[in-house]
Amino acid sequence: MGAETIPLWRPLPGWGPPDLSCPRTGVAMWEHDRDGVIYTVPDRLIDDEVASFMIAQDEARLRRGVPLTVLHDWSASAGYTSSARSRLTRHVLAHTELYARIGIVVRPASRLLGMGVQLAATTLAVAGVTFRTYPRLEVAVRALGIRRGGDAA
């Protein structure tokens, strides 16, 4: 039985270690003061395993009944599967009233990932979900006005 490679999570500058990380996928999660989370994905494909981790974390927070602001940093991602895109989109559509805003950081050079994200964005916008893409993490954090949990915005 071979040793499994465990990807390291990507740091979120100025935020310290993540509140939670998934050793199998390398996805890290930080809670922030706007009733929500920031996810960072390492240089890997966003697949069903990554989608399952994110959905499980969102669901735990959705139970509070307070609309979430979620920021996904996919700037290092190698892309994502249509299955993962579909699962993530369906999950948000099933809970539109509980998502205040969703932001996704995608490298401008990542055309295929960007096209998939725009497809999901169009679907979610029709359902009334505020969804925006950003070119860099610091731009997204500033635009969404989020801070480390407990800090004033």
Side-chain angles (χ1 to χ4, degrees), residues 64-150:
R64 298 176 190 162
V66 178
L68 294 177
T69 294
V70 179
L71 175 57
H72 295 274
D73 179 5
W74 292 358
S75 61
S77 173
Y80 74 152
T81 65
S82 59
S83 174
R85 183 189 72 238
S86 179
R87 286 186 65 207
L88 290 165
T89 302
R90 280 193 321 266
H91 172 73
V92 174
L93 288 172
H95 304 284
T96 56
E97 73 285 354
L98 291 175
Y99 281 94
R101 298 178 292 179
I102 298 174
I104 297 187
V105 179
V106 180
R107 284 185 317 245
S110 185
R111 290 188 206 256
L112 192 56
L113 178 59
M115 287 187 334
V117 167
Q118 286 307 316
L119 177 63
T122 301
T123 302
L124 295 174
V126 168
V129 177
T130 302
F131 185 104
R132 181 152 181 227
T133 60
Y134 300 91
R136 292 187 323 277
L137 181 61
E138 61 274 8
V139 172
V141 168
R142 190 172 47 252
L144 293 170
I146 56 179
R147 307 247 189 292
R148 186 69 167 134

